[in-house]
Amino acid sequence: MELPFRHILSLSGGKDSAALAIYMRDRVPEMEYVFHDTGKELPETYEYLGRLEALLGKPIHKSTVENGDFIGFDQLLKIYGGMLPSNHRRWCTRMMKLKPFERFIGKDNCYNYVGLRADEKREGYISHKPNIKPLYPFIEDGLVKADIERILEESGLGMPPYTNWGRTRSGCFFCFYQQKIEWVRLKEAHPDLFEEAKAYEKPGKNATTVFYWCGDEPLEELEKPERMAQIVRDHAAAQERARNKATNRSLLHILGGVDDYEERNGCLICQL
């Protein structure tokens, strides 16, 4: 006998998954909501998810618990010998996002609702388990960035509050996919979290190499006033170049409100 399908929507703390939860709330009453908590999210993320939970009228399951124990970043970092994750060694995504997600589903059949928009050009399947079937309501219904922002505003939830100080994505406050301007903004908005991120940049217990969040640039160098000023100037210049190219934007960009310079790299399960 085939098992019935569960309906599960993963939340990252970002705008797209939050908007999708609101969009699907009355369409799929049996929807389950899950958040993969690393223990290193921004305080604004936790606050945003709390407000979303109240709006949905259902609890958001926290998945990063195994046998009653919280398995977050600090616990896993010890297992990996102090080796920080990077785009070449993304153990954080695999161990704190994907595996808890698959453990939450188990062997059940599942429709997994993914918040990819119709104006994005990237693949969105998060898990390759045969019992997990991805669905993309925004793509199917032709919804673009402007629609997502409208859904959030009309619901009263609004955009994630970390966007007010220049953060463009959800995920750990030390995510290696951050732009350098976001590191500057983090230091300005949350100097304590910047210091915590900086403290991780040290050799692992069996390592002779120091791992840095920003490639080969230590945060100790990035936070120097002259370097931060240069990053701010470089970012402003990049934005200006993007705006100057706006005359060649497609109709989709014009109608959909897509930011040409918005980076969409990163892990889908962390940042949608």
Side-chain angles (χ1 to χ4, degrees):
M1 180 178 178
E2 186 177 0
L3 294 173
F5 274 79
R6 295 166 65 188
H7 297 261
I8 299 177
L9 194 154
S10 292
L11 296 162
S12 69
K15 67 180 186 302
D16 294 327
S17 62
L20 183 60
I22 295 167
Y23 186 68
M24 300 302 298
R25 177 184 54 191
D26 299 326
R27 291 173 170 82
V28 184
E30 64 271 34
M31 187 77 77
E32 299 175 62
Y33 306 96
V34 60
F35 172 63
H36 314 293
D37 189 2
T38 64
K40 299 296 176 180
E41 311 292 329
L42 289 163
E44 291 93 336
T45 298
Y46 293 118
E47 184 268 338
Y48 192 62
L49 288 171
R51 289 169 49 211
L52 176 61
E53 188 173 54
L55 193 62
L56 295 173
K58 278 189 176 183
I60 296 173
H61 177 79
K62 308 297 192 298
S63 70
T64 321
V65 176
E66 188 170 3
N67 299 323
D69 297 321
F70 178 77
I71 308 296
F73 181 82
D74 287 334
Q75 292 79 4
L76 287 166
L77 185 62
K78 293 178 182 177
I79 295 174
Y80 282 87
M83 181 183 69
L84 297 180
S86 73
N87 59 339
H88 300 299
R89 45 180 189 272
R90 296 191 321 195
W91 61 257
C92 55
T93 303
R94 184 174 67 256
M95 300 303 295
M96 293 192 298
K97 300 290 184 176
L98 183 56
K99 283 190 175 297
F101 172 69
E102 293 178 342
R103 187 169 60 243
F104 176 66
I105 295 170
K107 295 182 180 179
D108 295 342
N109 291 322
C110 164
Y111 290 118
N112 177 214
Y113 294 79
V114 183
L116 276 179
R117 309 187 309 257
D119 55 356
E120 295 185 284
K121 296 180 180 179
R122 54 177 180 160
E123 296 181 358
Y125 193 26
I126 292 170
S127 174
H128 293 284
K129 294 280 187 178
N131 58 312
I132 302 174
K133 180 180 179 180
L135 297 176
Y136 308 100
F138 287 157
I139 293 177
E140 292 170 6
D141 295 346
L143 272 62
V144 297
K145 185 181 178 185
D147 298 305
I148 275 59
E149 293 177 347
R150 175 183 51 77
I151 290 169
L152 293 174
E153 291 304 317
E154 290 180 353
S155 72
L157 181 65
M159 292 285 283
Y162 51 73
T163 59
N164 294 333
W165 52 265
R167 171 92 170 201
T168 63
R169 62 186 78 225
S170 54
C172 298
F173 63 81
F174 45 57
C175 180
F176 49 81
Y177 277 116
Q178 287 184 95
Q179 302 173 64
K180 293 199 173 181
I181 187 63
E182 292 179 291
W183 282 104
V184 172
R185 302 308 184 209
L186 177 67
K187 182 171 175 60
E188 294 170 344
H190 293 290
D192 56 328
L193 297 184
F194 187 93
E195 289 300 312
E196 187 176 340
K198 189 169 64 172
Y200 284 112
E201 296 187 329
K202 57 187 177 183
K205 62 183 179 182
N206 299 317
T208 57
T209 303
V210 179
F211 299 105
Y212 301 124
W213 295 116
C214 295
D216 58 357
E217 183 173 23
L219 293 182
E220 194 171 63
E221 293 295 320
L222 186 148
E223 70 174 336
K224 291 180 177 178
E226 62 274 16
R227 176 61 177 134
M228 289 204 301
Q230 179 189 0
I231 291 171
V232 171
R233 290 194 301 270
D234 290 346
H235 179 66
Q239 287 185 309
E240 183 61 27
R241 287 195 299 272
R243 281 190 288 267
N244 289 338
K245 294 178 181 178
T247 53
N248 295 322
R249 289 185 305 176
S250 66
L251 183 61
L252 179 62
H253 281 75
I254 295 170
L255 297 179
V258 177
D259 294 328
D260 290 302
Y261 50 83
E262 181 187 69
E263 290 194 6
R264 297 298 291 177
N265 292 326
C267 310
L268 293 178
I269 201 168
C270 297
Q271 296 164 3
L272 276 178

